């Protein structure tokens, strides 16, 4: 039998709050491990970035570092480019010819 459930945005945010709290820690870890400072402009793509609460938390973190979360990139295109780039890297690093200004997968 299929499961049918009504889930509001508030319900989702409450149930996922612990996961959402990990977003700033993940970004801090990424910056620490890559020895990078927070860039002025940040574009993040992925399904979770469509959740307003995640966008708000990430923007709050970026505000502390003087960075801006850009939402002008088509997320579906970004996901496709990232996936293609990672696949190309796994097959043959020399085959990747995308400029870093367009996409920088981690």
């Amino acid at each position: 039998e299929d499961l049918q459930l009504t889930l509001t945005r508030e319900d989702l945010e409450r149930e996922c709050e612990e996961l959402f709290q990990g977003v700033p820690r993940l970004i801090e870890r990424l910056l620490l491990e890559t020895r990078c400072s927070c860039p002025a402009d940040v574009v993040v793509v992925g399904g979770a970035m469509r959740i307003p609460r995640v966008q708000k938390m990430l923007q709050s973190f970026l505000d502390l570092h003087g960075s801006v979360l850009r939402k002008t990139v088509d997320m579906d295109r970004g996901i496709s480019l990232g996936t293609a780039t990672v696949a190309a890297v796994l097959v043959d690093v020399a085959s990747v010819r995308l400029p870093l200004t367009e996409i920088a997968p981690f």
Side-chain angles (χ1 to χ4, degrees):
E1 186 173 322
D2 294 337
L3 173 67
Q4 293 186 6
L5 176 71
T6 301
L7 188 66
T8 66
R9 179 180 295 166
E10 292 79 19
D11 293 337
L12 174 71
E13 290 177 358
R14 185 179 54 254
E15 293 299 320
C16 296
E17 183 63 28
E18 187 176 321
L19 292 172
F20 294 164
Q21 292 298 325
V23 170
R25 290 191 302 270
L26 180 63
I27 302 300
E28 287 173 346
R29 181 175 161 205
L30 172 72
L31 294 173
L32 180 67
E33 288 182 5
T34 59
R35 297 184 180 120
C36 293
S37 59
C38 201
D41 296 318
V42 176
V43 177
V44 182
V45 296
M49 285 310 302
R50 296 175 193 229
I51 301 172
R53 175 79 172 123
V54 174
Q55 290 179 7
K56 184 177 178 181
M57 290 182 72
L58 184 54
Q59 184 59 65
S60 294
F61 175 84
L62 295 173
D63 285 345
L64 296 173
H65 297 278
S67 300
V68 176
L69 179 63
R70 298 287 178 200
K71 300 178 188 177
T72 56
V73 172
D74 177 7
M75 288 190 187
D76 292 329
R77 182 172 185 268
I79 292 167
S80 298
L81 285 171
T83 302
T85 302
V86 170
V89 167
L90 291 174
V91 173
D92 179 11
V93 175
S95 68
V96 179
R97 294 201 181 0
L98 292 174
L100 290 178
T101 55
E102 185 172 342
I103 185 167
F106 291 95

